[in-house]
Amino acid sequence: MMLDLLGGFGEKGRTSLAVNSGNDRILLDVGIKVGATGAEYYPALAGSAGDIDALFVSHAHEDHVGALSWLLSRGYAGPIFMTAETRDEAPATLAGYADAEDLKRFPFPADRIELFQPGDTLKSGNLSIRTGRSGHVVGGVWFAVDDGESRLAYSADVVPDSNVFVMDTIPQCDLLVLDASYGADPVSGAARAREISDWMTRHANGCLLPTPLSGRSLELIAALPGPFAIHASMRASLETQIGASTALLPGVSGLLQRRLRDAADWTDADLLPSMPLLADDGMGEAGPSSRLLPRAAAAGFPVLLTGHLPSGSPGDRLHKAGRADWVRMPTHPTLGGNVDIWEKAGRPEALGHSCAADSLADLKIHIPPLLAQCRTGQRIKVPARSK
């Protein structure tokens, strides 16, 4: 089994891998890189996409599905596997991040989507693709690909210590592709959640919390210490996510339902509220927060950013100008989580995706078989299973 690193290795964004075994070739995720331009915005896929047998999408965030229309424009004609939640959320992601001309010519292909549920095992040619809940978003999954001689486990985005979501254990494998978004950050998710809750308590009379529509939004709602508002356009999606109780930890669905029921709806025509306001997306690149960030800056309204800030993004510019605070809400593994994932997977060779090169070097200190030198554009061999 050979693995082509098409995006996300030595960099954050455009996450994509091609798995090759004999005549079988599949693609795992097809993301874009926020802040990049030209070819670097898309996966490093050479030539036509016509030789790809199937595409498997882990979840609907832009760095995992944002290049779908681009892939279709390059001739991809095969099936697209995703969960129902990913299918429902992907069109909005493409509207915010796909090239306008690509999206016009190749809109979201609803008739080609092959649905599965987390926990299902899928087939493509000789490849068996096992799935499991990621702990990152409702409907998000990891993939474990087996060709009978070796097994690759690709985490996509996972959260092993979420306060909201369930993550299934990634199986033992011969090569593990880890979500290394936070490198060797040792601070636990619980500690970061407390820090965010304390910040929001200090700004309970009004603040803006930009957040992705799925995933982190529920983590923030769980961490909010008092009354809050949401952009009204988010309510239907949040209700659907909270209703997916099998993706959530026991008891969490009821808590979130009560919190959302009591949340105030806010629209662009309203005055900025005297309570915390959640609005998507998390970087200010699209959605209501693309309008709210400049409005908050002009009004001196406090802003807390809680996720990745690509260089040059609206959120990044506001933070660098001293007009927004930043505390990372862990929606990816911190150091202890990744070490635990690696140990349970049998301590195999490993790669780290969604991570800068220097952070990979730091992570290798704790996971010695990590191939920290691997970069987007390279091809590597998945080790054969030990006899």
Side-chain angles (χ1 to χ4, degrees):
M1 186 188 296
M2 303 297 295
L3 185 62
D4 292 328
L5 311 182
L6 303 180
F9 295 87
E11 61 183 351
K12 174 73 172 175
R14 62 170 178 170
T15 314
S16 187
L17 306 87
V19 182
N20 310 274
S21 178
N23 294 323
D24 299 315
R25 178 172 168 84
I26 64 172
L27 204 61
L28 305 178
D29 283 341
V30 59
I32 56 90
K33 184 177 181 180
V34 174
T37 57
E40 288 198 3
Y41 190 68
Y42 302 107
L45 180 67
S48 167
D51 63 344
I52 299 169
D53 299 314
L55 168 65
F56 297 82
V57 178
S58 65
H59 65 292
H61 287 164
E62 77 287 337
D63 53 334
H64 293 261
V65 76
L68 178 56
S69 293
W70 170 85
L71 184 72
L72 298 175
S73 77
R74 296 178 69 89
Y76 178 64
I80 302 165
F81 291 86
M82 57 178 64
T83 63
E85 293 85 359
T86 301
R87 176 202 57 192
D88 294 344
E89 296 168 12
T93 302
L94 295 179
Y97 290 94
D99 175 81
E101 186 59 31
D102 282 346
L103 186 58
K104 181 179 178 180
R105 293 171 53 226
F106 298 95
F108 183 73
D111 59 333
R112 289 171 52 186
I113 305 304
E114 305 258 355
L115 293 179
F116 68 90
Q117 295 183 351
D120 287 350
T121 297
L122 312 171
K123 292 288 290 184
S124 180
N126 190 47
L127 299 175
S128 174
I129 303 99
R130 181 176 165 185
T131 69
R133 293 171 293 183
S134 68
H136 182 64
V137 296
V138 172
V141 297
W142 46 254
F143 296 111
V145 184
D146 198 318
D147 69 351
E149 297 183 0
S150 56
R151 176 185 286 164
L152 160 77
Y154 163 55
S155 69
D157 289 352
V158 292
V159 190
D161 60 350
S162 171
N163 292 319
V164 171
F165 300 103
V166 177
M167 178 185 165
D168 293 319
T169 301
I170 293 176
Q172 294 201 355
C173 57
D174 306 297
L175 180 67
L176 173 63
V177 183
L178 287 165
D179 175 2
S181 296
Y182 298 160
D185 181 1
V187 181
S188 71
R192 295 287 193 202
R194 286 193 297 270
E195 189 177 353
I196 288 171
S197 180
D198 290 344
W199 187 98
M200 290 187 290
T201 297
R202 296 194 301 272
H203 298 85
N205 292 328
C207 61
L208 175 62
L209 304 168
T211 175
L213 182 56
S214 61
R216 197 192 322 153
S217 52
L218 299 193
E219 300 274 9
L220 286 170
I221 289 172
L224 280 159
F228 65 97
I230 60 169
H231 195 279
S233 64
M234 301 174 67
R235 183 171 290 275
S237 175
L238 293 174
E239 288 175 344
T240 298
Q241 292 176 58
I242 292 170
S245 58
T246 58
L248 307 179
L249 294 167
V252 167
S253 181
L255 168 67
L256 293 177
Q257 284 175 348
R258 293 191 295 272
R259 302 234 62 207
L260 184 61
R261 182 188 61 228
D262 295 338
D265 282 337
W266 187 92
T267 71
D268 289 4
D270 297 331
L271 297 174
L272 292 170
S274 56
M275 60 179 66
L277 169 63
L278 273 65
D280 64 296
D281 73 9
M283 300 171 287
E285 290 278 359
S289 76
S290 66
R291 303 183 295 275
L292 272 166
L293 275 178
R295 182 173 171 182
F301 196 64
V303 176
L304 178 64
L305 301 159
T306 55
H308 175 58
L309 296 180
S311 180
S313 66
D316 176 63
R317 293 196 301 269
L318 207 61
H319 181 245
K320 287 178 177 174
R323 276 292 303 112
D325 293 333
W326 179 79
V327 180
R328 183 165 61 201
M329 167 65 81
T331 52
H332 303 275
T334 51
L335 176 59
N338 261 334
V339 170
D340 185 60
I341 290 170
W342 171 66
E343 289 178 340
K344 288 178 178 175
R347 298 187 166 215
E349 285 190 3
L351 300 172
H353 73 79
S354 301
C355 186
D358 56 348
S359 295
L360 286 171
D362 293 339
L363 187 57
K364 183 176 175 64
I365 296 171
H366 305 274
I367 302 179
L370 184 74
L371 305 175
Q373 75 282 4
C374 291
R375 300 289 180 267
T376 293
Q378 294 180 342
R379 168 175 277 205
I380 66 169
K381 184 175 182 178
V382 180
R385 188 169 301 142
S386 300
K387 300 298 184 183

